[in-house]
């Protein structure tokens, strides 16, 4: 669940702490770009895009999860979910340096795609790999990973950690850490027996 369901929890909670700083960043960027200060309604609209577009990305990721998990297998599909995670981390981490709040919006969209993919495929992969007696317990790991992701997001968002004005881009890019951990560890895991038997018709590998 490190790179699967935890990504979803992390991105849900991580946006709360830097809200004031991001809105200020939108105001300053708009002023530098257009030479006039934006209205409060415009700042609220841009901030709403930053927050809510994560759900649009989650919808796109969830709709793609079924196809990718059959096309590439559960394990490879979870590895592929780290691509939008790393892309979103790069976009959000560099948004202030590039003076572009649009990069922040795009980064949140890609992080939503990662969350939608990871959460759905995590449930499939864990449930199909688990022994029958532990299947229910293994399925619960998804909600546990979401809770841990939320806790990590709140902890990292503290002003004493990464919740300061000059560190919020680093905070927004922290979703790269679980993605890198999963990229390094998941290749050593087996693939789903159900995928190997039903989709690949490989009975020997399934056994």
């Amino acid at each position: 669940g490190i790179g699967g369901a935890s990504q979803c929890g992390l991105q849900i909670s991580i946006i709360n702490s830097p809200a004031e700083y991001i809105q200020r960043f939108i105001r300053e960027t708009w002023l530098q770009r257009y030479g006039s200060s934006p209205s409060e309604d415009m700042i609220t609209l841009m901030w709403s895009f930053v927050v809510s577009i994560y759900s649009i990305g989650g919808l796109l990721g969830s709709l793609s999860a079924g196809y990718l998990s059959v096309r590439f297998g559960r394990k490879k599909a979870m590895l592929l979910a780290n691509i939008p995670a790393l892309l979103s981390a790069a976009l959000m981490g560099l948004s202030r340096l590039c003076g572009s709040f649009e990069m922040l919006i795009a980064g949140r969209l890609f992080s939503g795609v990662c969350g939608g993919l990871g959460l759905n495929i995590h449930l499939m992969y864990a449930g199909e790999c688990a022994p029958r007696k532990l299947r229910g317990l293994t399925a619960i790991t998804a909600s546990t990973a979401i809770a841990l992701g939320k806790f990590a997001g709140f902890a990292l968002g503290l002003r004493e950690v990464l919740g300061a004005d000059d560190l919020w881009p680093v905070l927004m890019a922290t979703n790269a850490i679980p993605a890198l951990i999963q990229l390094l560890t998941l290749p050593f895991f087996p693939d789903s027996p159900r995928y190997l038997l039903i989709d690949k018709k490989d009975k020997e590998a399934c056994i």
Side-chain angles (χ1 to χ4, degrees):
I2 288 173
S6 67
Q7 284 277 23
C8 184
L10 180 68
Q11 286 298 325
I12 287 171
S13 65
I14 212 170
I15 196 67
N16 296 315
S17 300
E20 178 188 345
Y21 306 132
I22 292 174
Q23 290 180 47
R24 188 187 304 162
F25 165 65
I26 293 170
R27 184 181 290 107
E28 291 171 355
T29 305
W30 190 284
L31 181 61
Q32 289 174 1
R33 192 181 296 174
Y34 302 111
S36 62
S37 184
S39 64
E40 287 301 317
D41 290 341
M42 181 57 70
I43 292 171
T44 303
L45 179 64
M46 291 297 107
W47 170 244
S48 301
F49 272 124
V50 171
V51 175
S52 61
I53 203 161
Y54 178 81
S55 301
I56 305 298
L59 177 63
L60 295 174
S62 297
L63 291 172
S64 307
Y67 169 76
L68 291 175
S69 62
V70 173
R71 176 74 175 78
F72 299 104
R74 286 34 162 178
K75 184 175 82 170
K76 287 181 182 176
M78 285 194 75
L79 288 169
L80 287 172
N82 292 305
I83 295 172
L86 294 173
L87 184 58
S88 74
L91 285 168
M92 292 190 289
L94 295 171
S95 59
R96 188 174 187 177
L97 187 65
C98 297
S100 172
F101 55 82
E102 293 88 353
M103 289 174 65
L104 201 58
I105 295 171
R108 287 281 292 173
L109 177 69
F110 283 117
S111 65
V113 172
C114 169
L117 283 171
L119 181 59
N120 286 282
I121 300 171
H122 172 191
L123 283 165
M124 275 191 283
Y125 184 49
E128 291 171 9
C129 287
R132 189 183 303 171
K133 291 181 180 179
L134 299 176
R135 198 163 292 156
L137 180 65
T138 308
I140 292 172
T141 60
S143 54
T144 307
I146 292 173
L148 290 172
K150 286 183 179 179
F151 173 75
F154 283 124
L156 291 170
L158 294 172
R159 291 175 189 264
E160 293 79 10
V161 188
L162 295 175
D165 188 13
D166 55 336
L167 290 175
W168 68 260
V170 180
L171 174 66
M172 297 301 291
T174 50
N175 62 326
I177 297 171
L180 290 171
I181 292 172
Q182 191 180 70
L183 281 172
L184 292 172
T185 56
L186 194 61
F188 297 100
F189 281 62
D191 218 327
S192 160
R194 184 185 185 280
Y195 164 74
L196 292 170
L197 180 64
I198 296 175
D199 297 318
K200 298 293 287 183
K201 312 295 184 198
D202 192 342
K203 186 176 180 180
E204 185 180 344
C206 172
I207 293 169

